[in-house]
Each structure stands twice: as structure tokens, then as C-alpha cells.
């Protein structure tokens, strides 16, 4: 029998506003919500979660779609992708709406903070869920939001390329928190068409020094041989070797979580 990819994580159900989803928990220390990418909570996302546990945090990994622990595959992805695109919990095209799933994630983060303590909570969103950590930032408990290749809304047209995937009201709240010292960390490959540079330009303009951008060179002829189709910075396209820019990005994420959550004197 194959080894359980989620071994060491305790499964439980979290319910908010009548919606119940399975969540996998492991570790000790302040809470970090790891929000998986399409097609689901696959093994590379779980491996990232284990790294966060090892860094001194309690990781909560909700299963939003797909089968927890099922390996990544393109056929699997193509089956799941249309389902999440039409689901009402996710806003894939609108430029001025926060995905409704964010409310459920905020409630999970609030409960995780109450359970784990510490100065606040972190969240790491990826790809389809990349921007959800930004929407969670309207809650003052969210101190360490990480947007890894935030792909919503789908970058069709000028407005969508520049959109950050939350409502104007939520963006105003995020900007207010940023003005008082809160920070957002964003990751992307430079040639990734799913995460156009205009999106990070918006975050720089709106948040100023409150936005920390990690943009990894994937242009033709780049010194690390990163392909132009590279997308998943912390999982599928991670090259876990010293000196590689994706390894440096991973280490920067872990350092960001430590700086924001493992000290008591925080702002924002």
C-alpha cells in the first residue's frame, strides 16, 4: 500500500455559514493557512506545508477542490479546472469582486488564531487561490499574506491583467493596513502569462513599500534555464538546490512568516 501523503496531518471539518470543508492540520506555533492550487491538495503543496511546519508554525491546509493527496497530473487538472471556474465560491473573471470563498477562509484563520495564539496568522495562496490571501488581509489578524503566482482574475484584456482580484472596498482596507505597516509578499515568474506584470504593478502602486515583489527571471536565455512556462514558484517549478532563485524565493517566504509571526511587536 502506498504511503499516505498526508501522514502526520490531522484531518478535521471546519464549518462557516453552513459550508463545511475538510482541513488538514499539523505543527506547533502560530497558524499559517496554506491554500492549495489547481487541481487540489497535491503532494508538492503538502511538501510545502511540511516545510512551513518545520519552520515553527501550525499549518492548516483546507481542501477547496479536488481529492486531498491525489498526485498532480494534467488530465486531473483538466477535469478539475472547469469545475472551479464555474463554481460560485470563486470569481474568475470579474475585476472588482472578492471571491466568496475568502469569507470562509477568514473564518478558518480566525479560529486558527484563537487555537494557536501568537500575534496573528499567515496565509499562502497559490495560482487560482493566490489572491485569496490578499482578501483575507481585511482581518487585522492576517499579518503575513503571501501571494504566489496570483492568477485571478484570468488576465484577458487590459483591466483584468491589472486587477488584483478583490473588491474596491477590500482593497481600501488593505491599503489602510499597509499604510500602518502591514506587508504583502508576492511571487511570480517574469514570463508567466497567467500572472502578468501589470498585476504586480498595481500592487506596487496601491501598497507602495507594503508590497514586496519576488519576480524570478524566466526569460529566454536566463542563467538558471527556467522555462518560459514556469508557473508554480513554491511547488511544481521549485528547484530545491542552493543558489537557485526558486529555492531563494521559498526561503524568503519562510523568513517573511518568521518576521511577521514569531515576534510579538507587530504593526498593521
Amino acid at each position: 500500500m502506498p504511503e499516505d501523503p498526508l501522514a502526520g496531518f490531522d484531518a478535521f471539518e471546519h464549518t462557516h455559514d453552513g459550508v463545511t470543508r475538510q482541513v488538514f492540520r499539523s505543527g506547533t506555533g502560530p497558524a499559517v493557512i496554506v491554500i492549495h492550487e489547481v487541481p487540489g491538495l497535491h503532494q508538492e503543496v503538502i511538501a510545502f506545508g511540511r516545510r512551513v511546519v518545520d519552520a515553527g508554525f501550525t499549518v492548516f491546509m483546507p481542501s477547496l477542490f479536488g481529492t486531498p493527496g491525489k498526485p498532480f497530473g494534467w488530465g486531473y487538472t483538466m477535469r478539475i479546472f472547469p469545475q472551479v471556474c464555474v463554481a460560485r465560491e470563486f470569481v474568475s473573471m470579474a475585476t472588482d469582486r472578492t471571491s466568496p470563498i475568502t469569507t470562509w477562509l477568514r473564518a478558518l484563520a480566525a479560529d486558527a488564531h484563537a487555537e494557536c495564539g501568537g500575534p496573528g496568522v499567515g496565509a499562502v495562496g497559490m495560482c487560482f487561490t493566490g489572491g485569496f490571501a490578499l482578501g483575507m488581509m481585511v482581518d487585522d489578524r492576517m499579518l503575513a499574506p503571501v501571494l504566489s503566482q496570483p492568477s485571478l482574475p484570468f488576465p484577458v484584456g487590459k483591466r483584468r491583467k491589472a486587477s488584483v482580484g478583490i473588491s474596491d472596498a477590500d482593497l481600501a482596507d488593505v491599503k489602510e493596513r499597509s499604510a500602518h505597516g502591514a506587508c504583502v509578499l508576492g511571487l511570480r515568474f517574469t514570463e508567466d502569462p497567467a500572472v502578468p506584470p501589470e498585476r504586480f504593478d498595481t500592487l506596487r502602486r496601491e501598497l507602495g513599500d507594503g508590497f514586496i515583489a519576488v519576480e524570478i527571471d524566466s526569460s529566454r536565455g536566463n542563467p538558471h534555464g527556467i522555462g518560459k512556462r514556469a508557473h508554480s514558484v513554491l511547488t511544481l517549478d521549485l528547484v530545491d538546490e542552493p543558489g537557485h532563485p526558486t529555492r531563494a524565493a521559498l526561503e524568503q517566504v519562510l523568513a517573511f512568516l518568521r518576521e511577521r509571526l514569531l515576534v510579538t511587536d507587530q504593526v498593521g
Side-chain angles (χ1 to χ4, degrees):
M1 179 177 292
E3 182 180 350
D4 178 6
L6 285 159
F9 285 86
D10 296 322
F12 69 96
E13 291 186 337
H14 176 75
T15 301
H16 175 72
D17 199 22
V19 177
T20 299
R21 290 184 172 85
Q22 194 171 32
V23 182
F24 296 86
R25 177 193 184 282
S26 184
T28 58
V32 176
I33 315 299
V34 174
I35 316 167
H36 63 78
E37 57 200 359
V38 175
L41 189 51
H42 61 74
Q43 293 175 351
E44 287 78 10
V45 175
I46 297 167
F48 170 75
R50 294 189 191 280
R51 290 178 183 269
V52 179
V53 169
D54 291 343
F57 300 96
T58 306
V59 166
F60 293 78
M61 300 190 301
S63 178
L64 304 185
F65 39 80
T67 303
K70 184 178 176 68
F72 177 86
W74 286 112
Y76 175 33
T77 300
M78 292 301 102
R79 289 192 298 272
I80 294 295
F81 190 70
Q83 299 174 25
V84 298
C85 286
V86 300
R88 285 183 291 181
E89 298 100 322
F90 311 108
V91 176
S92 60
M93 295 298 288
T95 60
D96 57 354
R97 290 179 56 201
T98 301
S99 288
I101 187 65
T102 307
T103 301
W104 187 93
L105 290 167
R106 290 171 188 161
L108 173 62
D111 287 353
H113 183 235
E115 175 184 335
C116 299
V121 181
V124 182
M126 305 175 179
C127 180
F128 198 88
T129 72
F132 295 173
L134 188 68
M136 295 169 72
M137 199 177 163
V138 302
D139 189 322
D140 289 345
R141 285 167 285 216
M142 179 52 60
L143 296 183
V146 179
L147 321 181
S148 189
Q149 73 271 4
S151 305
L152 294 186
F154 296 139
V156 180
K158 184 176 180 180
R159 288 186 61 199
R160 292 189 182 95
K161 286 181 178 180
S163 175
V164 296
I166 61 175
S167 68
D168 291 343
D170 283 353
L171 181 57
D173 287 343
V174 170
K175 289 172 65 174
E176 177 68 18
R177 291 201 59 211
S178 178
H180 289 86
C183 289
V184 178
L185 178 62
L187 317 172
R188 65 180 288 270
F189 289 104
T190 58
E191 304 305 305
D192 184 356
V195 193
E198 293 90 338
R199 186 157 296 163
F200 274 29
D201 290 343
T202 298
L203 289 164
R204 289 188 184 93
R205 182 181 66 251
E206 298 293 342
L207 304 184
D209 292 341
F211 179 59
I212 304 167
V214 177
E215 297 180 282
I216 299 171
D217 183 11
S218 58
S219 63
R220 184 176 182 179
N222 70 82
H224 294 278
I226 298 170
K228 65 179 182 179
R229 295 184 179 180
H231 175 66
S232 299
V233 177
L234 300 173
T235 57
L236 296 167
D237 293 299
L238 171 68
V239 177
D240 192 10
E241 298 175 356
H244 196 277
T246 56
R247 169 72 172 272
L250 169 63
E251 291 173 351
Q252 187 165 351
V253 168
L254 298 177
F256 178 72
L257 295 173
R258 292 188 195 100
E259 290 164 4
R260 306 301 296 179
L261 299 176
L262 292 181
V263 296
T264 57
D265 183 17
Q266 290 290 339
V267 292

